[in-house]
Amino acid sequence: MKKNLILLLLLALFFKAGAQNISLTKGWKLSIGDNPEWSSPGFDDSGWQAANVSKNWEQQGHPDYDGFGWYRLHVIIPSSIKEKSYLKDSVLISLGSIDDNDEVYLNGTLIGKYGGHKGSDIKRSRYGPRSYKIAANNPALLWDKVNVLAVRVYDTGGDGGMYGTNFNIHMVDIMEGVHFDTGSDFSYGEHNTLGKSIGINTSNNYPYKGTLSFKVTDPETGAVILSKKTDTAHFTTGVPFSWWFTFSAAKKKSYLITYTFKDKKTGVELSETETTPYILTPAVSKIPKINGAAIFGVRPGHPVLYLIPATGKAPLKYKAQGLPAGLKLDAATGIITGTVDQKGSYPIVFTVSNKLGSNTKKFTLAIGDNVGLTPALGWNSWNAWGLSVNDEKVRTSAREMAGRLSVHGWSYINIDDGWEAAKRQDDGKITPNEKFPDMKGLTGYIHSLGLRMGIYSSPGPRTCGGYLGTWQHEDQDAQTYSDWGIDYLKYDWCSYGEIAPRNPNLEEMKKPYLVMRSSLDKVNRDILFSYCQYGMGSVWTWGAEAGGNSWRTTGDITDTWNSMSNIGFNQDKMAPYAGPGHFNDPDMLVVGKVGWGPSLHNTRLTFDEQYTHISLWSLLASPLLIGCDMGHLDRFTLSLLTNDEVLAIDQDALGKSARQYIKKDGYQVWVKELKDGGKAIGLFNTTDSYQTISLPKSDAALKGYTKYRDVWRQQNVTSASGRVAPHGVLLLRVEK
Ligand code: GLA
């Protein structure tokens, strides 16, 4: 017993020593600009400015600087850290966070890079933490001698440089490089049973042997519901260990799962937690039901493409009474096409039927100058694929949207950055790159499914991803888009920052958007115009008047609670500016599998946070642009995106955004007025624990409202009150 204790103590000391860090927070030098010689260890950087790596370079004498800059550091790496470590094979160099791209040289040898395309030229990635692992016997690493670290940074816009908190060098520790693979989807059985396979793997050359345990806790009560373990968790490089488990959830809510691996020999543990999904959206009925917005706007003489969104057991038969002259309906697909020359508000009655019954719905086709009367519902490639988007990925998304989502009103398939060729044709025409062999064919395919197609560009010479922008080709590009059949354009400021004067005034900010607006007005089709300039100059106050159908109100979203909730809960000041034809855009959705590049991961939002995300965005009357891999829509994500009562809040024809009605320390209430005189109300729990949130019947917001409905569950309830999960929501619709 005593012997064991001593051994444990020794091991503990040993591992503490093993985790020894060499700090890299001090001593950095910085130079703005770019020069290949700056990677060389022999280069004399004594004249460079001293850099503070807790701050961006804007704060260190380079205001508004976007472009290249280099950081250099001279550091001794003592071999004692190797001797004291348990695993002696690799070294991890952590360089805080980098904004946005980098190449890292150790004594002149490139040891890692992040971002970029087109050869060695680093162009675009995302601000974020960077760590590079190299072998301990890599000849570039000089043990016990001075090493020169040189970091080439390229900032595409906004803040720039290398700055953050985690700057150090250390030997890769026993549990570093060990990962839980929790990426597989949960499977759903009867009686709320969930199953899942998890894996544990490593990139370390060490034979891990030990216990893998799994514990389910109820976050509301703290009670441990289930606890299991296996003593046979053995894995090493290339040979992962996987484990399948099932568990029965007592209630429809999220539980917390903790996975812990304990290595027997060293006693070191690694844990990870995740939450469990629960589906609120009721199953779709086999009886026909018509979904989607009650109104759609098209300009006179422009092509109409409208798919009547309806669920029900196939085959469905579609009818439309009161279709204006010039339009025809395909009774088998529900797709309406044609043109209408006369302005006017055309009332139409849709009927959809199958063997089990039929459903009718009143609909208005508004032929006039205002389009995009309800927020766009669609998919955009960026949050999933980043610059790795290609024809096949877009077709997959279109196919999946047509198969599973268009029946709920989803219709846009939007390609973001990364489709453009490196050069224009001799006549100045823009063409797609090799990833999109036939843009017109692709659009044709998308239209044939009753869906619409969107594209992306920048008013500057380059897009944010470094591709060709529209600068000085506005008319020509608008015409090309029209020839291809494009229905939506996202227009991203990016390198227009180099064209506009520094600190542009309002007129200078509006200018590129007005120029493109007039180019789009010259073509013979409706192209929704989505402004993306991150909210500069309070764009919401002038975006509509400048011809935008939507405008981004913020910088880029990412899949964390911090990012999503900071954006979503700060949309009150722009709320009054939303209306039919012009909406605030708090950025695209981060549910499902996202990744901003070729490799994807499950969103890091918990399941309750995802309910909050979709509820809040719907209350805000935001464009809902799915940002995940549509080819792998899991059951939970699908349920989030196909709740017709939730979507109806977003698509409400009044087009108003919710206002922040109550903001308290631990919760918020947002209220949206609806066309039928009702209201949609979101009660949001912003804390980490369960709480009861109530809006009393006597509250001014509820005066005169007698009917209450829980929108996610699609059930009538008796009060505006409920237990709300951490970061979760209760979404209600109330009627008089
Ligand atoms: C900007 C936008 C993103 C995306 C990328 C493409 O960051 O805000 O939504 O379009 O550019 O490069």
Side-chain angles (χ1 to χ4, degrees), residues 124 382 416-417 456 464-465 490 492 532 534 552 556 588:
R124 165 81 198 194
W382 185 251
D416 206 278
D417 205 355
Y456 165 98
C464 292
K490 171 173 170 183
D492 196 348
C532 177
Y534 340 113
R552 277 271 296 277
D556 289 12
M588 303 173 289

Side-chain angles (χ1 to χ4, degrees), residues 307-310 316-320 329-334 351-353 407:
L307 165 70
I308 302 171
L316 295 175
K317 243 180 86 189
Y318 300 80
K319 262 186 11 202
L329 163 71
D330 182 326
T333 61
T351 304
V352 175
S353 48
V407 293

Side-chain angles (χ1 to χ4, degrees), residues 603-651:
T603 176
R604 289 173 290 166
L605 297 182
T606 67
F607 295 97
D608 282 304
E609 289 166 355
Q610 296 182 61
Y611 278 118
T612 287
H613 186 18
I614 303 296
S615 305
L616 187 52
W617 263 236
S618 299
L619 284 163
L620 296 172
S622 314
L624 299 180
L625 292 169
I626 301 168
C628 68
D629 174 8
M630 296 270 286
H632 290 97
L633 271 180
D634 60 284
R635 208 170 131 183
F636 175 80
T637 309
L638 194 63
S639 81
L640 270 183
L641 301 173
T642 55
N643 190 309
D644 296 310
E645 295 195 16
V646 176
L647 292 174
I649 293 174
D650 180 71
Q651 293 294 299

Side-chain angles (χ1 to χ4, degrees), residues 302-445:
H302 285 187
V304 174
L305 175 67
Y306 186 83
L307 165 70
I308 302 171
T311 45
K313 190 170 165 33
L316 295 175
K317 243 180 86 189
Y318 300 80
K319 262 186 11 202
Q321 248 181 332
L323 267 193
L327 295 188
K328 64 172 201 299
L329 163 71
D330 182 326
T333 61
I335 299 175
I336 298 172
T337 50
T339 52
V340 185
D341 293 330
Q342 277 298 310
K343 279 192 179 177
S345 177
Y346 297 89
I348 302 173
V349 177
F350 292 146
T351 304
V352 175
S353 48
N354 65 8
K355 278 190 191 147
L356 302 167
S358 75
N359 184 224
T360 60
K361 179 172 168 169
K362 285 186 185 160
F363 179 81
T364 304
L365 185 67
I367 303 291
D369 295 329
N370 206 7
V371 297
L373 300 180
T374 62
L377 289 185
W379 174 84
N380 171 295
S381 55
W382 185 251
N383 291 355
W385 301 117
L387 297 175
S388 75
V389 61
N390 61 23
D391 177 277
E392 189 208 322
K393 287 168 175 159
V394 174
R395 279 176 198 262
T396 301
S397 297
R399 196 185 57 232
E400 293 300 317
M401 183 173 282
R404 313 212 253 178
L405 294 175
S406 62
V407 293
H408 300 277
W410 297 88
S411 66
Y412 287 91
I413 292 288
N414 296 350
I415 306 175
D416 206 278
D417 205 355
W419 62 268
E420 311 87 336
K423 266 198 191 148
R424 289 177 178 270
Q425 282 181 184
D426 289 346
D427 61 0
K429 191 177 163 186
I430 189 133
T431 52
N433 56 39
E434 65 293 344
K435 296 187 291 160
F436 291 93
D438 176 10
M439 202 57 111
K440 194 166 176 157
L442 177 58
T443 310
Y445 169 69

